[in-house]
Structures are given as structure tokens and as C-alpha cells.
């Protein structure tokens, strides 16, 4: 069941087309990653979904409420952690959340427990009476996540939740984020610049210059750019390559004293290869594409010169990129 539905959404500022014909659906209880370079249109899309901005055209709905015409319905069902911190530094952690609970009309009898539970969830309960100005960047971000959860939203928007944090605080914050669907029953819609973070997402959409250029699970996206590569060195590469081709029906290539072969699943193919080649194997290594490779192929500098068609599939876009740069 999709909890977020976006249909042909566009937003222009005069000549600037910040968002162009974006359509996507986000399943309830999932973590959805919205990735894209600076200025791609991520925050603009989030602002439209959160009813802070009107689209130029197209529609969007959250939990069945139209983002354009039913803003209070939408606002009651979402929480948001903005790209820039919006905490009151002169209040304590508890007071920040209390203020938010007032704004969202959380019932008086529920307030204390909800605030304490949220603080517990992000590991800040012990620090609840400290002023926010004494918090580290990571603690502030965690507090903002807690604040976004006070009114039991169905969807939590996280715009660059880990930007500017050190690796330890990032992984710490991620621990909480990944638990959100299961523990709090929340659907997470997040943007990030860190590709390795996007690995935890159930679904990913890559946006560039306002258009969605790829969508899928992290594995689907990685597979689409070519699969795993196995590199093997043997005592007789010519014979080994011919055996691989004949016996395993693969297409090996010899380069720089190594055989390399592209396969769909490196982890299952590798033992088979070693069994086939026996004792002639001197070394093996497996290279798997990362989300970073996907992102660079699609939004990297070289691809700027290629006409990317928003309607084309990821494979078609990658193919056109490869044709252009003679890699096919
Ligand atoms: N109020 C505005 N007026 C004019 N142009 C705007 C406005 N807000 C955003 N834009 C433009 O819209 C485009 C998309 O901006 P947006 O903030 O959505 O990008 P983003 O993907 O969130 O980028 P970042 O990763 O840097 O946060 C940019 O070209 C930006 O300059
Ligand atoms: Mg942004």
C-alpha cells in the first residue's frame, strides 16, 4: 500500500525548473531514499509534500490526503527533520519536545510519556534537562528525529539527516533511523549525499536536474550497471579462459595478466569457477558495483554531456552514456 503518491509533480521558479514531472510511490513501512546532487530538487519536492510549497503542476498525496488541498490532514500525518537545524538552543531537550507537543495538540495526559519515550528511543533520556546549546551535532540531529515522532506521524521526512556529522555520529543516528519502520511503524522518506547510507533503503529514486533518472532497490540499481566482476589469475590464463567459456558458458577477457568475467551473482559463481579451474588458480578477487558507481554513472560529470531521458529506463540511460563514451 503506497502511503505517499506523487503524480507528474513539477515546480518552476521562473526559468528554473526545480522539479520536473516527478512521479513515484512510497510503500507504507518502508525506508525510501531520495538521492541527487546539489540543486537536484530534493528539498523542493519534500517542501511540496510537507505542504510548505505549492507545485506548479501535478499532484501528491500522503496517507490519502492531498498535499495541495488538504494541508492540515497531511500535516497531522507527517513529521519532518529539516535540512537546517530548527531547534531552540536556549531550551532543554525536554522543553523543545514539549513545545512541539503543544503545537501538535498532543493530549495533555499523553504528553509526558510520549516525550520521554521518544527521548529514550534516540538515547537522549539522560540528557533531557540539558540545554540544546550544549549538545553535539549528532545529539541535535537525534533530538530532531525524536521531535518528529512525538505526534505519531505516519511518514517522517528526513532531509540530509546526517549532513556534517562525523562518521561515528552518522552511524549512531542510522541505528535509530533504520529501527523507525519496525519500532515506530513509521515510513521514512529521506535524502542523503552519502551513498553508503542509501544501502539501507528499501527503495531509491535518483533525481538529477529535477527529473527522476533511476528508481529501484539498491540491488536492482547496482545490477543495472553491469553486475559483479570476478578477476582471476591462473598458471595458464589462455587455457583457463577457454575452460571458463566452454564449461561455464561465460565470456571471459584476459587483460594485464588477469582474466576478468562479468557475472550476475559473484558470490555464487565464484566457488563454481574455482572448482572448474582447480589448482591452476593463483588468486581471485570479486568486485561488486556500489551505489556510488550507480550514482556516478548517472549523475557524474561525464554524463552531463549526455541527454538523459527521464522516461527511459536506467539501463537505457546507462547504455546511452556508454555509447557516448565508447565503453560499449
Ligand atoms: N525559492 C527559490 N527560488 C528560486 N530558486 C529556487 C528556490 N528554491 C530552490 N530553488 C532552486 O531549485 C533547484 C532545486 O533546489 P533544491 O533546494 O530543491 O535542491 P536540493 O536537491 O535539495 O539540493 P541540496 O542537495 O543542495 O540540498 C536549485 O536550482 C535551486 O537553486
Ligand atoms: Mg536540499
Amino acid at each position: 500500500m503506497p502511503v505517499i503518491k506523487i503524480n507528474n509533480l513539477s515546480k518552476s521558479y521562473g526559468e528554473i525548473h526545480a522539479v520536473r514531472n516527478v512521479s513515484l510511490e512510497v510503500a507504507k513501512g518502508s525506508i525510501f531514499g531520495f538521492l541527487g546532487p546539489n540543486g537536484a530538487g530534493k528539498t523542493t519536492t519534500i517542501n511540496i509534500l510537507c505542504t510548505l510549497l505549492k507545485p506548479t503542476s501535478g499532484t501528491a498525496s500522503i496517507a490519502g490526503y492531498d498535499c495541495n488541498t488538504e494541508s492540515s490532514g497531511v500535516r497531522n500525518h507527517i513529521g519532518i527533520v529539516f535540512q537546517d537545524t530548527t531547534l531552540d538552543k536556549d531550551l532543554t531537550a525536554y522543553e523543545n519536545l514539549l513545545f512541539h507537543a503543544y503545537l501538535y495538540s498532543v493530549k495533555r495526559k499523553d504528553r509526558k510519556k510520549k516525550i520521554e519515550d521518544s527521548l529514550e528511543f534516540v538515547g537522549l533520556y539522560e540528557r533531557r534537562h540539558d540545554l540544546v546549546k550544549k549538545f553535539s551535532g549528532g545529539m541535535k540531529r537525534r533530538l530532531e528525529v525524536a521531535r518528529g515522532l512525538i505526534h505519531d506521524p505516519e511518514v517522517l521526512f528526513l532531509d540530509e539527516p546526517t549532513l556534517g556529522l562525523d562518521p561515528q555520529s552518522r552511524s549512531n543516528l542510522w541505528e535509530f533511523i533504520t529501527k523507525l519502520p519496525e519500532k515506530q511503524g513509521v515510513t521514512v522518506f529521506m535524502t542523503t549525499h552519502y551513498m553508503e547510507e542509501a544501502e539501507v533503503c528499501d527503495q531509491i529514486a535518483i533525481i538529477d536536474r529535477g527529473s527522476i533518472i533511476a528508481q529501484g532497490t539498491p540491488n536492482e540499481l547496482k545490477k543495472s550497471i553491469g553486475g559483479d566482476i570476478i578477476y582471476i589469475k591462473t598458471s595458464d590464463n589462455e587455457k583457463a579462459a577457454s575452460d571458463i567459456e566452454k564449461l561455464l558458458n561465460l565470456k571471459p577477457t584476459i587483460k594485464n595478466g588477469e582474466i576478468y568475467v562479468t557475472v550476475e551473482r559473484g558470490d555464487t559463481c565464484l566457488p563454481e569457477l574455482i572448482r572448474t579451474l582447480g589448482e591452476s588458480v593463483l588468486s581471485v578477487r570479486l568486485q561488486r558495483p556500489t551505489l556510488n558507481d550507480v550514482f556516478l554513472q548517472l549523475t557524474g560529470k561525464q554524463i552531463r554531456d549526455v541527454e538523459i531521458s527521464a522516461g527511459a529506463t536506467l539501463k537505457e540511460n546507462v547504455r546511452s552514456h556508454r555509447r557516448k563514451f565508447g565503453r560499449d
Side-chain angles (χ1 to χ4, degrees):
M1 267 293 287
V3 65
I4 303 177
K5 285 186 187 177
I6 305 178
N7 200 3
N8 276 324
L9 201 67
S10 295
K11 175 72 186 176
S12 302
Y13 297 102
E15 295 285 284
I16 300 172
H17 301 295
V19 176
R20 309 177 199 218
N21 278 323
V22 165
S23 294
L24 49 89
E25 291 190 345
V26 177
K28 199 173 163 59
S30 63
I31 299 184
F32 189 89
F34 202 40
L35 315 182
N38 287 129
K42 304 180 295 293
T43 299
T44 306
T45 306
I46 286 190
N47 284 345
I48 295 171
L49 293 173
C50 294
T51 75
L52 298 172
L53 203 60
K54 292 276 179 217
T56 308
S57 62
T59 58
S61 69
I62 294 179
Y65 295 94
D66 189 303
C67 297
N68 217 359
T69 56
E70 297 172 296
S71 55
S72 8
V74 171
R75 287 177 188 202
N76 280 329
H77 289 82
I78 60 168
I80 178 159
V81 175
F82 290 100
Q83 188 163 356
D84 301 314
T85 302
T86 55
L87 293 164
D88 192 325
K89 293 191 185 72
D90 295 318
L91 296 181
T92 65
Y94 189 93
E95 287 164 347
N96 263 283
L97 299 201
L98 185 62
F99 182 58
H100 186 82
Y102 287 141
L103 285 180
Y104 276 84
S105 312
V106 176
K107 287 194 187 104
R108 189 191 181 89
K109 67 177 176 50
D110 299 332
R111 262 180 231 149
K112 188 163 182 288
K113 181 160 187 339
K114 277 195 187 297
I115 292 172
E116 288 180 352
D117 286 352
S118 297
L119 286 166
E120 188 82 61
F121 177 65
V122 298
L124 288 174
Y125 182 78
E126 303 300 326
R127 306 290 301 267
R128 65 194 181 286
H129 296 312
D130 284 0
L131 291 177
V132 168
K133 64 178 156 203
K134 291 187 188 163
F135 279 10
S136 69
M139 289 161 75
K140 283 184 204 148
R141 258 353 212 168
R142 267 150 55 200
L143 183 60
E144 291 194 302
V145 171
R147 185 179 61 179
L149 296 171
I150 291 284
H151 55 288
D152 293 326
E154 280 204 37
V155 180
L156 182 65
F157 289 95
L158 301 168
D159 198 357
E160 303 285 352
T162 54
L163 192 68
L165 299 184
D166 62 89
Q168 202 184 346
S169 309
R170 274 167 53 194
S171 87
N172 196 283
L173 183 61
W174 270 104
E175 259 193 69
F176 302 111
I177 293 175
T178 47
K179 283 183 199 151
L180 283 169
E182 198 191 319
K183 292 219 166 162
Q184 310 276 339
V186 175
T187 305
V188 176
F189 186 104
M190 51 152 265
T191 72
T192 178
H193 277 103
Y194 301 110
M195 288 304 115
E196 69 277 15
E197 291 184 346
E199 292 280 350
V200 304
C201 296
D202 299 300
Q203 283 282 324
I204 287 173
I206 298 180
I207 181 169
D208 191 24
R209 296 174 174 183
S211 301
I212 304 278
I213 55 169
Q215 264 194 84
T217 64
N219 272 340
E220 281 167 357
L221 293 180
K222 284 185 275 185
K223 249 196 227 162
S224 307
I225 66 160
D228 299 346
I229 303 175
I230 298 174
Y231 294 87
I232 315 162
K233 268 189 199 165
T234 66
S235 49
D236 184 347
N237 283 347
E238 296 287 341
K239 179 175 180 323
S242 139
D243 286 350
I244 293 170
E245 194 163 353
K246 266 190 255 157
L247 303 173
L248 298 176
N249 203 18
L250 294 169
K251 296 233 170 308
T253 308
I254 301 176
K255 200 174 166 188
N256 300 332
E258 270 185 322
I259 304 166
Y260 75 91
V261 59
T262 304
V263 297
E264 202 169 299
R265 291 277 311 268
D267 50 349
T268 53
C269 189
L270 199 52
E272 210 180 343
L273 265 169
I274 293 173
R275 267 197 304 275
T276 307
L277 301 177
E279 287 184 359
S280 69
V281 177
L282 300 175
S283 69
V284 284
R285 63 195 165 92
L286 172 64
Q287 188 179 308
R288 319 194 87 155
T290 62
L291 277 178
N292 224 2
D293 297 330
V294 175
F295 191 78
L296 281 176
Q297 285 234 27
L298 286 165
T299 67
K301 261 188 196 145
Q302 302 108 305
I303 208 159
R304 291 282 178 220
D305 299 327
V306 179
E307 196 53 47
I308 293 177
S309 157
T313 64
L314 171 65
K315 261 189 181 154
E316 285 161 355
N317 275 327
V318 169
R319 226 175 274 140
S320 86
H321 164 71
R322 285 193 168 147
R323 260 199 304 277
K324 169 97 182 178
F325 291 95
R327 290 176 55 186
D328 238 348

